[in-house]
Amino acid sequence: MPHLVSERMGDVPSDEMTLEARLSEREYKRPSPAFIGQANAADPAIYDRIGSFPEGFEEYAEMLEWDRHWDEVFDGSNPPFFEWFAGGRLNASVNCIDRHLETRKNQAAIIWEGEAGERRTLTYQDLYREVNAMAALLTSVGVEEDDIVTIHLPMVPALPITMLACARIGAPHSVVFAGFSAGALADRVNDADSSYIVTIDGYYRRGEFLDHVDKTNRALDDIDGAPEVLVWGRHETPDVSSSYLLVDDLLDAHRRDRVEPVIRDAEDPLFLMYTSGTTGKPKGCQHRTGGYLAYVAGTSKYVLDIKPEDTYWCAADIGWITGHSYIVYGPLVLGTTTLMREGSPDHPHKGILWEVAERHDVDIFHTSPTAVRTFMKWGAEHLEGYDFDFRHLTTVGEPIQPEAWLWYYNHVGGGDAVIVDTWWQTETGGHLITNLPALADMKPGSAGLACPGIEAAVVDDAGQVMDRGGAGNLVITRPWPGMLQTVYGDDDRFIDTYWRAFSDIDSDDWTDWVYAPGDGAVYEEDGYFRILGRLDDVMNVAGHRLGTMELESAVAEVPAVAEAAVVARKHDEKGQVPDVYVTLREGIEPDATVIADIVESVENEIGSFARPANVEFVPELPKTRSGKIMRRLLENISNDEPLGNTMTLRDPSVPEAIRQQVQGR
Ligand code: WT7
């Protein structure tokens, strides 16, 4: 039974309570009566209601406008290829825009702040016009239903407009985060076999104009085929190759066009979002239209507590899943005002976020623990003097240390806003573990309860459910509508990555299938989940997920490098950063040029956000007798920890020598 406020009200610690339980009792923060009084989810019965499987999830689907009602809520007959709301038909852009025109056409849908000081408000009516014009343009250049459109855009209105235009014509989008390099863009275009790239001349970051279209210029060399390139203009006349199509010019011919939405089956894909895994190649997580949209609508309403009259600001980038689900789709389905901002949080000054929050009277604010740690480091004085007042705060992407949590609570939340620590993944579409803010007390450092309708557990490596309090593998034991459909073009990889570990994969009974997210967790006595982090070779750098193998293959591209291992080093602000250990080819001397080449290769293959923190030249990498690189030992070394067991190594003196080299300094 979940740990609900209503049960705990008036709780007096009894003598039977252990000291530990009594101590932990004090760690909770209770939502204010004012928050509870206005919350979208204020009745604990919601857990039973949505938890009645699978019909409970119909409540989320009913938040959408359907052209045809679904025949069946859930079809589990072909696990793990589950279907949600099959037979139902809908269009995502209609759900985000058209349906709101009658009631709130002149309400702001998107407020945008550019880094160069520009401000733009798109009402629902404006968004309707822009999305229709772009949809008409895309159609006119040949985009058809089911064509995958790659969108490589930064945080400018063109990004959600292009996404929604694709949704309108039934063309799944594949947004590639603007910080990704030419190489990463090419990989994603190739994997999706995408014939269209939508980009922009450039954008601003810390006062600098970054040439962005250059990444597409360079990616084209590595792209199979010749995709059509469409370029938006951040500047009025972008200076680009004459073979590219200039969106702003072409849009003029379509300004007054209206495009009949292409009505999609609930199970038709809405988008791909590539994410890093344990092997080199990024995976295209394929998300369905109906189940995804229903799930992000439901969680936006109940977890984020969004109401149409709110101004909601998620300071993530739309190029990641957080922005898809909780800047664009969830908030717009609910008809609220969603704010997006270009640029970094310290430009033009370290109080800019709070200045923006004050300017637009933001009610709900959403950011990452990395950002909170950065604000902490800058100091509370940067928030002083700004008159902002949040009722609700979110964190996402990494575990948040209690210290950072309390800072967020006191300095950003003014000691009375609620905080939800939301655990989920690119693959899950929306939140799976986090509290409904009015219904459960907050506990700093703990993501909280499983969301309504979600069944989570912590199991040992054999798949046995562990006793409360033990650290093990987090698993999700029942399907949910926001889950990915598959890995694009690779059903086997979908099964191998997420299901094989704890499922009976020969069974055609869906209850034998268990989803393995790859995270470690503790299921605590109070029913809260404390997330420990990734258990696989994936690191989390400033909330960005990076695969060890992806980094290693970028490092190995450098001709001087013989072998490379990349491990995560703990970092005060970013959570983790990549440390690179390399051996060099015969006759090559370690020097600054090799380091520069390694850094450059990572920037070219992935992006500068993945830049290594350290490069260590070592004579040999620690390996097992069978030749497997022991990254764990290198991780011990990077983190100033004692070396773990070295008994199984081919040469146990290797890690000790590296330890002395690195830690001895
Ligand atoms: C991984 C997913 C989904 C939003 C952004 C990241 C880690 C995510 C939390 C949290 C502790 C978290 C997990 C997860 N993670 N949220 N609240 N507490 N860890 O999406 O890039 O797909 O990464 O981020 O390790 O597996 P992503």
Side-chain angles (χ1 to χ4, degrees), residues 162-207:
T162 309
M163 289 163 70
L164 291 163
C166 288
R168 191 162 195 88
I169 59 175
H173 51 73
S174 168
V175 177
V176 178
F177 169 59
F180 272 120
S181 65
L185 174 62
D187 288 345
R188 286 157 178 75
V189 170
N190 285 336
D191 188 82
D193 213 356
S194 170
S195 308
Y196 301 91
I197 302 176
V198 183
T199 184
I200 193 165
D201 52 345
Y203 61 104
Y204 287 93
R205 186 141 183 110
R206 295 210 170 85

Side-chain angles (χ1 to χ4, degrees), residues 102-120:
E102 208 170 301
T103 46
R104 54 180 74 99
K105 60 179 181 248
N106 287 318
Q107 179 196 309
I110 297 177
I111 296 177
W112 176 72
E113 289 241 353
E115 209 205 47
E118 312 96 313
R119 284 177 220 157
R120 185 170 169 201

Side-chain angles (χ1 to χ4, degrees), residues 275 321-322 395-400 421-427 447 517 519 531 533-534 540 543-545:
T275 189
I321 191 73
T322 303
T395 84
V396 60
E398 320 149 64
I400 183 163
D421 175 351
T422 58
W423 176 87
W424 57 296
Q425 309 180 294
T426 304
E427 293 84 342
D519 276 324
I531 310 296
R534 302 289 310 189
N540 193 326
H544 301 319
R545 181 162 150 192

Side-chain angles (χ1 to χ4, degrees), residues 3 12 61 141 147 164 174 232 254 280 376 399-400 441 562 643 649:
H3 179 90
V12 181
V141 302
D147 286 348
L164 291 163
S174 168
W232 287 84
H254 298 287
M376 250 174 102
I400 183 163
D441 292 343
L643 283 178
L649 292 196

Side-chain angles (χ1 to χ4, degrees), residues 81-118:
F81 303 97
F82 303 119
E83 295 195 352
W84 288 94
F85 310 113
R89 292 174 60 75
L90 76 170
N91 178 280
S93 87
V94 167
N95 273 283
C96 291
I97 310 170
D98 305 38
R99 65 185 298 212
H100 303 308
L101 294 179
E102 208 170 301
T103 46
R104 54 180 74 99
K105 60 179 181 248
N106 287 318
Q107 179 196 309
I110 297 177
I111 296 177
W112 176 72
E113 289 241 353
E115 209 205 47
E118 312 96 313

